Amino acid sequence: MEIFKRILKFLARLNPIRAIARAIFSLRNRLRKRAKIDYVMLSLPQEMPTLPESRHWALQRAIGPSPMSLTELDRIFERIGDDPRPKGVILNIHGFAMPLANLQTLRNSIIRLRGKGKRVICYAQSYSNAVYYIASATDEIVLQPTGEVETVGLRSEATFLKDALDMVGVKLDSIAISPFKGAFDQLTRSEMSPEGKAQLDWLLDSQFDMIVTGIAEGRKVSIEAVKAMIDGAPHLDSASLAAHYVDAVETEEALHRRLNSEHVSNWQSANKKLLKKWTKRSDKYVALINVSGTMMPGNSAKPPIDIPIPFIGGERAGDLTVVQQVRHVMEDEQAAAVILYINSGGGAVIAGEAMRSALAELAKDRPLVTYMDGVAASGGYYIATPSQWIVAQPGTITGSIGVISAKAVTNGLYEKLHAHRTEITRGANAGMMSDFAPFTDAQRVRMRQTIEHIYRHFVELVSASRHLSYDSVDAIAGGRVWTGVQAKANGLVDELGDLKVALAKARSLANLPDDAPLVMAEGKGKPLPPQLAEKVNPAASLIYMHENLTAIANSSPQLLLDVSLKL
């Protein structure tokens, strides 16, 4: 049977249709070479997911095309870099709303393009921390007249709602493995805990150092000069030019004259002119399993619209969907290696364990490499433990190795409303997770035992996978959160880099050629994107949040993280 397969593959390589297709491809490239193109102008959206998002044509008609992803932008840069005609690209930026890890992915793509001899020009109406961090990786920074350099530094804020909830008779009864596991602190405390402040301090310090160092290296100035720029911000356009924070102040219309280029094309036009490479199909590939959003029992899904409510408003990664995808990959012999892509702050323990155990089975017969994107913490780190290699960006939020459990207690609200509730139970702990009353002392002891049991299991998994002692893992665990740089120093991450670095490692571990493709894994069940009917249904958002809330409430305890840092 194996010899028969090899004969068929050999005959396929001699397929005359493929030869004809290659000849047509070559002819089209020769015709494209006649088109003149100096610079490609790309207008970058504020938010760019790392992975491409597929949308059905009906969804595109309803809400527009899929947003450009960082992976797609990197492929665009590759095409520009491989074509000898363009001098470079102009990046038109109108602000960013992305985590530092994603900004670092974009920055890496720019640096690779410059490494191919192409110039990269950044043009913006103003320069925030995030935009200037990206701009510092380019050859030239151009500011629109009347704009400012607004590199004012980093900040983090939190609103604590315990007293407000007390006023309406609601409280959250929470049990955490340590004070560092503060996923519910904003609902259970009146102010930030000393541990929470210490954690935010070291995270901000790490991120601030990364940004300052990146700007200093890109602009070829000292660390002290960058800090002075930040402390003196915002800077007017003329002051920014005089201090060499920007290289020019120009209108967009005059930009092409500054570049002395007549043939500046937008991407839609350039896409029809740039040369394309003939890609050879590899027999084997690297599969990518995507775990994004809060981890919950059930199917993966995305909210009908953006719902900025922690835990219940965002994307969810369902264990049924993820496990199905893992098993589908296991059945495919062509999937020679797997990248586990994680962009999740965790979720329900039972969902995380279902995913982890399936991934551990997969890792027995092929390389499993984890790539941590913006956040891969708590349950997000838990599912990474079967991996042979972990890659994270320097700015990735990770760690938070810990467990927490909580329940809402709403009986006080009913009393304020003069609504009288009656509870009838059979069994001492029948109402343990009820919102009727807080945990009793005995129930609190039982919950604490459960949390400590899961925590020990979590630390043991990390200890075995990272080849560290239990005590050394415990010292950096307990819910403590780290950046990727700090996680690598603590032994929780193997390598710093982007998805390309993870792909190169997966190919190397599986002895695959450099052209082995990366293919998104898909299950055979319910499709992941929301349906058009869900998009136009006014109640879809409420239904979605209720589903998430129900999944969380019925899945105690939790492996959850809630850290938000703004650039």
Side-chain angles (χ1 to χ4, degrees):
M1 179 63 74
E2 185 63 30
I3 294 176
F4 182 67
K5 287 183 179 179
R6 290 181 181 178
I7 293 173
L8 287 178
K9 289 178 182 178
F10 176 75
L11 292 175
R13 294 191 188 100
L14 302 178
N15 192 333
I17 296 177
R18 180 174 295 181
I20 294 171
R22 189 160 190 168
I24 295 173
F25 187 89
S26 177
L27 176 61
R28 184 173 61 179
N29 268 350
R30 285 199 295 270
L31 293 173
R32 287 186 174 194
K33 284 182 180 179
R34 299 177 183 178
K36 294 182 178 180
I37 179 169
D38 292 329
Y39 281 90
V40 179
M41 178 172 279
L42 295 163
S43 182
L44 301 186
Q46 291 191 353
E47 294 185 75
M48 303 177 70
T50 299
L51 301 178
E53 177 187 314
S54 60
R55 276 186 187 166
H56 189 270
W57 66 268
L59 274 181
Q60 294 187 35
R61 292 288 297 273
I63 62 173
S66 302
M68 179 186 291
S69 69
L70 292 168
T71 302
E72 290 166 324
L73 180 64
D74 191 68
R75 290 172 183 164
I76 290 172
F77 283 175
E78 284 184 354
R79 283 190 62 194
I80 295 171
D82 292 338
D83 194 314
R85 293 167 299 161
K87 300 175 184 177
V89 302
I90 302 168
L91 300 180
N92 196 334
I93 303 175
H94 296 276
F96 285 124
M98 297 190 291
L100 179 56
N102 287 14
L103 294 174
Q104 289 167 335
T105 294
L106 174 55
R107 214 167 184 271
N108 291 345
S109 295
I110 292 171
I111 292 171
R112 282 193 291 267
L113 180 60
R114 291 182 64 190
K116 291 187 175 183
K118 304 298 183 181
R119 283 178 56 77
V120 181
I121 314 299
C122 185
Y123 183 84
Q125 295 175 328
S126 62
Y127 284 90
S128 64
N129 298 318
V131 177
Y132 198 84
Y133 178 65
I134 292 300
S136 66
T138 67
D139 293 277
E140 195 169 354
I141 301 177
V142 183
L143 174 65
Q144 177 182 290
T146 72
E148 293 183 333
V149 173
E150 301 169 344
T151 50
V152 294
L154 304 183
R155 62 184 291 268
S156 178
E157 66 177 28
T159 302
F160 293 85
L161 301 174
K162 177 184 180 298
D163 295 341
L165 293 174
D166 285 345
M167 290 179 63
V168 296
V170 176
K171 76 173 187 175
L172 194 73
D173 197 356
S174 175
I175 305 170
I177 192 64
S178 86
F180 285 101
K181 192 65 177 177
F184 298 131
D185 277 6
Q186 289 177 251
L187 300 175
T188 61
R189 296 183 60 88
S190 301
E191 60 185 14
M192 188 176 292
S193 69
E195 294 82 4
K197 184 180 184 304
Q199 185 162 258
L200 280 176
D201 277 337
W202 76 56
L203 288 173
L204 281 174
D205 284 344
S206 181
Q207 291 202 336
F208 188 72
D209 287 345
M210 282 182 253
I211 292 169
V212 169
T213 301
I215 292 173
E217 292 174 350
R219 298 296 290 172
K220 295 180 173 57
V221 297
S222 68
I223 296 290
E224 291 71 23
V226 177
K227 290 182 177 179
M229 177 188 73
I230 291 172
D231 290 339
H235 305 278
L236 299 174
D237 53 0
S238 56
S240 299
L241 184 61
H244 303 290
Y245 299 149
V246 301
D247 300 298
V249 176
E250 293 280 3
T251 63
E252 188 174 337
E253 288 74 16
L255 188 57
H256 73 281
R257 290 194 293 271
R258 174 180 176 79
L259 298 175
N260 194 26
S261 298
E262 297 181 3
H263 305 287
V264 177
S265 303
N266 60 29
W267 171 242
Q268 288 74 19
S269 175
N271 189 27
K272 301 174 183 177
K273 301 175 185 177
L274 290 170
L275 305 181
K276 287 187 176 182
K277 275 188 174 181
W278 175 266
T279 55
K280 185 179 70 173
R281 297 184 64 181
S282 174
D283 294 335
K284 302 281 187 178
Y285 71 90
V286 178
L288 185 144
I289 295 173
N290 181 4
V291 180
S292 294
T294 305
M295 294 157 49
M296 299 183 185
N299 290 304
S300 299
K302 292 184 179 180
I305 59 173
D306 290 333
I307 308 172
I309 301 177
F311 307 134
I312 66 172
E315 185 176 2
R316 65 173 177 248
D319 59 355
L320 294 181
T321 300
V322 174
V323 170
Q324 182 185 57
Q325 290 174 347
V326 172
R327 290 172 179 168
H328 182 61
V329 170
M330 289 174 64
E331 294 170 357
D332 189 351
E333 296 179 357
Q334 302 303 105
V338 178
I339 291 178
L340 175 63
Y341 170 92
I342 305 174
N343 191 24
S344 171
V349 171
I350 55 174
E353 176 57 25
M355 297 178 195
R356 186 207 64 81
S357 59
L359 289 163
E361 192 67 23
L362 179 146
K364 290 179 179 179
D365 67 353
R366 71 199 75 190
L368 175 64
V369 174
T370 287
Y371 172 67
M372 297 179 166
D373 200 41
V375 57
S378 200
Y381 194 90
Y382 185 90
I383 64 172
T385 54
S387 306
Q388 288 97 325
W389 197 258
I390 296 178
V391 178
Q393 283 285 20
T396 297
I397 299 298
T398 187
S400 191
I401 299 167
V403 192
I404 191 169
S405 182
K407 70 170 181 173
V409 180
T410 61
N411 209 39
L413 173 62
Y414 284 88
E415 290 176 358
K416 289 179 180 292
L417 296 173
H418 299 286
H420 304 288
R421 304 173 70 192
T422 300
E423 186 176 62
I424 302 174
T425 63
R426 295 294 184 274
N429 294 312
M432 189 167 181
M433 297 308 296
S434 167
D435 66 338
F436 194 84
F439 294 118
T440 65
D441 290 343
Q443 290 170 349
R444 189 171 294 276
V445 169
R446 293 293 298 274
M447 288 300 300
R448 186 74 195 182
Q449 290 173 343
T450 299
I451 287 174
E452 290 177 352
H453 172 73
I454 295 170
Y455 177 71
R456 283 194 299 272
H457 179 60
F458 195 167
V459 174
E460 287 167 356
L461 287 173
V462 177
S463 174
S465 67
R466 304 305 304 164
H467 307 293
L468 300 169
S469 69
Y470 184 97
D471 289 342
S472 62
V473 174
D474 184 43
I476 56 175
R480 295 171 179 84
V481 183
W482 311 102
T483 62
V485 169
Q486 295 167 330
K488 187 174 185 299
N490 287 328
L492 297 177
V493 166
D494 294 296
E495 188 173 5
L496 299 177
D498 56 17
L499 186 57
K500 277 185 172 288
V501 172
L503 178 58
K505 185 64 179 181
R507 286 168 173 162
S508 173
L509 291 175
N511 296 316
L512 293 173
D514 293 341
D515 60 0
L518 180 64
V519 178
M520 291 275 290
E522 295 183 2
K524 298 179 181 178
K526 182 180 178 180
L528 302 187
Q531 300 303 301
L532 180 60
E534 295 174 335
K535 287 285 181 181
V536 299
N537 179 2
S541 298
L542 294 176
I543 295 170
Y544 184 86
M545 288 190 291
H546 180 264
E547 290 173 347
N548 285 2
L549 182 60
T550 301
I552 290 177
N554 293 336
S555 305
S556 186
Q558 304 286 324
L559 302 171
L560 271 174
L561 165 80
D562 184 23
V563 172
S564 178
L565 299 177
K566 298 180 180 179
L567 291 185

